[in-house]
Amino acid sequence: MWLSRPSALLCGQFGALSRLLLRVVSCSQTNAGAAVAAAAPPRRYCFAVNSSADARTDSSRNPESKRVMPSNVEIKAKVSDPTQFAEKAAQLSQSEGTIIRQHDTFFNCSQGRLKLRDFMNKSGQLIFYERPDTDGPKLSRYSISPTNDPSSLRAVLSDALGVKGEVRKERRLFLIGQTRVHMDTVEGLGNYMELEVVMRPEQTVEEGQQVAEDLMEKLGVSKESLVTGAYMDLILNGQKET
């Protein structure tokens, strides 16, 4: 049976339209299936994927946001009677403390201080910190990265930045509340103590300073014995053991 030319054109257009609709329906079903699959990933990957995606999304939404560095309030002082100080610290912490050997290498740095702390047991920490050189309680901000190869890292940083100096000490660590109490015997300097009040997010600097001052009084540390700067500064300034 022959169709007229207008009828043939109409049939051809209808056929093309039908094939197009079939492709659209097929594509929609495929996309819908993919969407369902994406919405229900395997259960064991759910939390890790969401955590990583959230971190990337937050960073991209606010590229100017910076990670808040942890902080503490610090006090450093000369200790004239290390035995008496250790006894008071042991009583307040209800422990005999922990002995830690440390070899700190300071590198040249345009701002703040950069040091590699070697625990002499094939482990260490790369530490960057900023704090004012003043007497009494002071706020310190820091970043720490652990390392399992301090010797190789020291070699690389020495080549790249140059070494400012080194500090070797034996540290006796006591934990009293939120405060790290250090009884240090520093090679070439003598006996010192450090208080590091690890700040909680909701605490103000003034509250941290008050904690440090109260503990300093309990430990019998006088204001006259307070020192400024790091051990590295004292060594560079030529202060000797007395």
Side-chain angles (χ1 to χ4, degrees):
M1 180 178 179
W2 296 97
L3 297 175
S4 63
R5 181 177 180 82
S7 299
L9 291 174
L10 182 59
C11 290
Q13 291 173 351
F14 179 77
L17 180 59
S18 299
R19 289 191 296 273
L20 178 60
L21 288 173
L22 286 173
R23 285 197 297 269
V24 170
V25 171
S26 175
C27 181
S28 299
Q29 292 173 342
T30 301
N31 290 340
V36 170
R43 189 185 185 111
R44 62 181 180 276
Y45 298 121
C46 182
F47 295 108
V49 171
N50 286 342
S51 176
S52 300
D54 290 344
R56 289 194 298 269
T57 301
D58 291 343
S59 175
S60 61
R61 279 200 302 260
N62 188 10
E64 295 182 358
S65 64
K66 295 183 178 179
R67 180 177 61 84
V68 177
M69 295 173 66
S71 61
N72 56 32
V73 170
E74 298 183 5
I75 290 180
K76 183 187 273 90
K78 181 75 175 176
V79 174
S80 57
D81 190 338
T83 301
Q84 185 181 50
F85 179 88
E87 289 176 353
K88 291 182 178 180
Q91 183 179 7
L92 290 171
S93 67
Q94 297 183 342
S95 74
E96 293 303 314
T98 302
I99 302 297
I100 307 172
R101 295 173 60 216
Q102 297 178 347
H103 174 198
D104 293 345
T105 303
F106 285 76
F107 302 97
N108 296 317
C109 188
S110 59
Q111 67 178 49
R113 303 172 192 268
L114 180 66
K115 67 182 177 183
L116 176 65
R117 173 160 290 170
D118 189 341
F119 293 113
M120 314 302 293
N121 60 0
K122 296 184 179 180
S123 70
Q125 296 174 332
L126 182 62
I127 306 170
F128 171 80
Y129 65 98
E130 297 176 299
R131 70 177 177 219
D133 292 328
T134 57
D135 288 331
K138 44 189 171 285
L139 184 68
S140 174
R141 302 186 186 278
Y142 59 92
S143 297
I144 298 178
S145 178
T147 176
N148 292 323
D149 192 358
S151 297
S152 294
L153 185 56
R154 182 187 297 111
V156 172
L157 291 172
S158 299
D159 290 342
L161 302 175
V163 174
K164 184 176 182 179
E166 298 179 57
V167 177
R168 291 178 172 84
K169 61 180 177 290
E170 182 177 275
R171 166 164 289 178
R172 190 171 173 183
L173 169 64
F174 302 91
L175 299 177
I176 303 176
Q178 69 186 98
T179 305
R180 297 168 58 89
V181 178
H182 303 149
M183 171 67 204
D184 292 337
T185 301
V186 187
E187 185 177 303
L189 289 179
N191 298 306
Y192 288 80
M193 77 94 207
E194 283 187 346
L195 304 183
E196 293 183 355
V197 182
V198 182
M199 299 290 289
R200 301 188 182 107
E202 71 277 5
Q203 284 183 308
T204 64
V205 176
E206 291 74 20
E207 290 173 331
Q209 290 174 339
Q210 188 61 55
V211 172
E213 289 174 351
D214 291 345
L215 189 53
M216 185 176 74
E217 183 177 352
K218 292 177 181 178
L219 290 168
V221 179
S222 66
K223 293 183 179 180
E224 292 73 25
S225 64
L226 296 177
V227 297
T228 63
Y231 294 135
M232 186 72 264
D233 299 325
L234 300 179
I235 291 175
L236 293 177
N237 290 334
Q239 296 192 25
K240 302 299 181 182
E241 183 174 351
T242 58

